[in-house]
């Protein structure tokens, strides 16, 4: 029986892909106990050939070639063919630490878990560990104590929503596909997943290496992508509001909406004359004010207080501060 399916969506990453796949093969599980599903999302470079080469060499490596549809669509394609009892996502420019999968699988089994969250670290393109932010993982709690998904969401997740930071029971993915065609798909998916879970916990074990690339989607400066990013965040706020209506304890959702709104106002301050009125009017239409400062840093809480007084004033102050 296959214990775990590792799903790797792949697009235009030939420089990084071999390291990623090699890290998945360098594990302490027997090869027959896990499958590596490489989803070539119509990659225009040498990635399809790299995938086929690994699949021809290793019996537990499988390849899906599909037309380009984006990260969510690629992950969904992998989910459709996964046979493991558990599922884990790994982005194709990232990599795992050696010999960690067995420990994670054993904990899933022994504690009868639905979801296990593990630790990660950022690496640069020289694969050196670094932390670009002063507060690396605020409000994240890695304690090994089992709780339900809503408690985990409110008390222990923080605001870092990364699909690749979980090992999960495959049955949870039924009716919980990734929303396609949007940025920040992990933020939309993670709370939906957790609210289905009854037994969730964390391990502080360092498992995942996240590559901080200069030209990643989240760091793009392309104007079209910036506008789509703002539109998708507005859509995500709507999704957060809708999901929060299904639970009594809304603290995480309200805090996340506050963080996203402040981030969007900050983005508007960079395009102050062209974007501020439209964006702030759209935020007001969502009826999210006053914003919650739940799980906010001191700096974010100050911005939220000012935004609740006047989002336009906050936008103006951020604009002139950055001149």
């Amino acid at each position: 029986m296959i214990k775990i399916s590792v799903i790797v969506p792949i697009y235009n990453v030939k420089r990084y892909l071999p390291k990623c796949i090699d890290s998945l093969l360098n594990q302490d599980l027997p090869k027959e106990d896990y499958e590596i599903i490489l989803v070539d999302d119509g990659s225009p470079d040498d990635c399809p050939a790299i995938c086929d080469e690994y699949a021809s060499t290793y019996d537990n490596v499988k390849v899906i070639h599909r037309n380009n549809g984006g990260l969510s669509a690629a992950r969904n394609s992998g989910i459709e063919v996964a046979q493991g009892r558990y599922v884990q996502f790994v982005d194709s420019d990232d990599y795992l630490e050696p010999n960690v999968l067995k420990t994670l699988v054993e904990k899933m089994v022994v504690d009868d878990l639905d979801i296990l969250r593990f630790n990660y670290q950022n690496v640069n393109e020289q694969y050196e560990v670094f932390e670009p932010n002063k507060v690396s993982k605020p409000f994240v709690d890695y304690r090994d104590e089992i709780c339900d998904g809503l408690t985990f969401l409110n008390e222990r997740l923080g605001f870092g929503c990364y699909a690749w930071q979980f090992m999960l029971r495959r049955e949870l993915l039924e009716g919980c596909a990734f929303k396609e065609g949007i940025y920040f798909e992990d933020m939309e998916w993670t709370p939906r997943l957790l609210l289905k879970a009854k037994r969730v916990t964390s391990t502080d074990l360092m498992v995942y290496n996240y590559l901080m690339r200069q030209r990643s989607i989240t760091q793009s400066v392309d104007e079209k992508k910036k506008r789509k990013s703002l539109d998708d965040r507005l859509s995500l706020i709507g999704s957060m509001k809708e999901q929060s209506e299904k639970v009594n304890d809304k603290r995480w959702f309200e805090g996340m909406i506050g963080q996203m709104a402040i981030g969007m106002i900050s983005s508007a301050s960079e395009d102050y004359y062209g974007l501020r009125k439209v964006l702030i009017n759209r935020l007001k239409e969502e009826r999210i004010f006053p914003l919650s400062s739940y799980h906010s840093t001191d700096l974010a809480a100050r911005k939220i207080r000012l935004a609740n007084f006047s989002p336009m004033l906050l936008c103006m102050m951020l604009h002139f501060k950055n001149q």
Side-chain angles (χ1 to χ4, degrees), residues 267-306:
S267 296
S269 72
E270 298 171 6
D271 186 15
Y272 183 67
Y273 298 101
L275 190 59
R276 61 186 172 107
K277 289 185 179 180
V278 172
L279 174 63
I280 290 173
N281 284 337
R282 291 181 67 181
L283 284 173
K284 288 181 177 179
E285 289 170 1
E286 291 290 340
R287 298 185 178 181
I288 58 175
F289 294 97
L291 302 174
S292 167
S293 58
Y294 179 69
H295 272 179
S296 295
T297 62
D298 291 342
L299 176 60
R302 289 195 295 271
K303 291 180 179 178
I304 285 172
R305 286 194 294 271
L306 184 52

Side-chain angles (χ1 to χ4, degrees), residues 117-165:
R117 192 261 306 273
F118 44 80
N119 210 342
Y120 74 95
Q121 59 194 5
N122 297 312
V123 297
N124 59 24
E125 296 203 45
Q126 289 71 49
Y127 299 117
E128 300 166 334
V129 177
F130 82 116
E131 180 50 61
N133 302 309
K134 292 181 180 180
V135 183
S136 58
K137 300 171 187 175
F139 313 109
V140 175
D141 185 345
Y142 282 103
R143 79 182 114 134
D144 183 5
E145 179 181 308
I146 298 171
C147 62
D148 64 82
L150 179 59
T151 300
F152 189 89
L153 190 70
N154 282 310
E155 301 290 348
R156 294 159 65 181
L157 177 66
F159 291 131
C161 298
Y162 311 114
W164 42 257
Q165 204 183 353

Side-chain angles (χ1 to χ4, degrees), residues 200-314:
V200 187
T201 193
S202 295
T203 173
D204 200 28
L205 178 67
M206 187 60 65
V207 170
Y208 198 93
N209 294 282
Y210 176 74
L211 181 65
M212 299 282 285
R213 288 199 287 155
Q214 286 187 332
R215 296 184 180 180
S216 67
I217 289 176
T218 53
Q219 297 175 356
S220 173
V221 295
D222 179 85
E223 189 63 29
K224 184 178 179 180
K225 289 182 178 179
K226 284 172 64 177
R227 292 302 178 105
K228 176 170 171 53
S229 171
L230 291 175
D231 286 340
D232 285 352
R233 278 188 278 183
L234 283 165
S235 176
L236 184 52
I237 284 175
S239 174
M240 293 285 176
K241 289 176 60 180
E242 182 179 344
Q243 291 187 57
S244 72
E245 293 172 359
K246 301 175 183 178
V247 298
N248 293 323
D249 190 343
K250 308 178 189 297
R251 289 174 295 164
W252 184 88
F253 289 103
E254 292 173 346
M256 176 62 92
I257 289 171
Q259 299 299 314
M260 292 178 61
I262 293 300
M264 294 171 71
I265 292 170
S266 297
S267 296
S269 72
E270 298 171 6
D271 186 15
Y272 183 67
Y273 298 101
L275 190 59
R276 61 186 172 107
K277 289 185 179 180
V278 172
L279 174 63
I280 290 173
N281 284 337
R282 291 181 67 181
L283 284 173
K284 288 181 177 179
E285 289 170 1
E286 291 290 340
R287 298 185 178 181
I288 58 175
F289 294 97
L291 302 174
S292 167
S293 58
Y294 179 69
H295 272 179
S296 295
T297 62
D298 291 342
L299 176 60
R302 289 195 295 271
K303 291 180 179 178
I304 285 172
R305 286 194 294 271
L306 184 52
N308 286 337
F309 175 73
S310 170
M312 192 70 76
L313 178 60
L314 173 61

Side-chain angles (χ1 to χ4, degrees), residues 55-176:
S56 66
T57 305
Y58 299 94
D59 292 339
N60 65 327
V61 177
K62 303 176 181 179
V63 180
I64 299 172
H65 296 290
R66 50 160 293 139
N67 294 329
N68 179 249
L71 177 60
S72 292
R75 284 175 176 165
N76 289 338
S77 293
I79 292 169
E80 290 175 2
V81 302
Q83 299 181 42
R85 180 179 180 185
Y86 307 113
V87 170
Q88 183 171 335
F89 300 100
V90 176
D91 287 355
S92 51
D93 49 358
D94 302 334
Y95 60 97
L96 299 188
E97 289 292 295
N99 301 324
V100 291
L101 287 184
K102 182 179 179 181
T103 299
L104 298 179
V105 169
E106 287 178 347
K107 186 165 182 60
M108 291 288 293
V109 173
V110 170
D111 290 342
D112 189 27
L113 297 175
D114 293 320
I115 300 173
L116 175 61
R117 192 261 306 273
F118 44 80
N119 210 342
Y120 74 95
Q121 59 194 5
N122 297 312
V123 297
N124 59 24
E125 296 203 45
Q126 289 71 49
Y127 299 117
E128 300 166 334
V129 177
F130 82 116
E131 180 50 61
N133 302 309
K134 292 181 180 180
V135 183
S136 58
K137 300 171 187 175
F139 313 109
V140 175
D141 185 345
Y142 282 103
R143 79 182 114 134
D144 183 5
E145 179 181 308
I146 298 171
C147 62
D148 64 82
L150 179 59
T151 300
F152 189 89
L153 190 70
N154 282 310
E155 301 290 348
R156 294 159 65 181
L157 177 66
F159 291 131
C161 298
Y162 311 114
W164 42 257
Q165 204 183 353
F166 303 104
M167 183 175 286
L168 56 115
R169 194 184 301 273
R170 180 162 57 91
E171 286 81 0
L172 284 180
L173 291 168
E174 296 176 4
C176 196

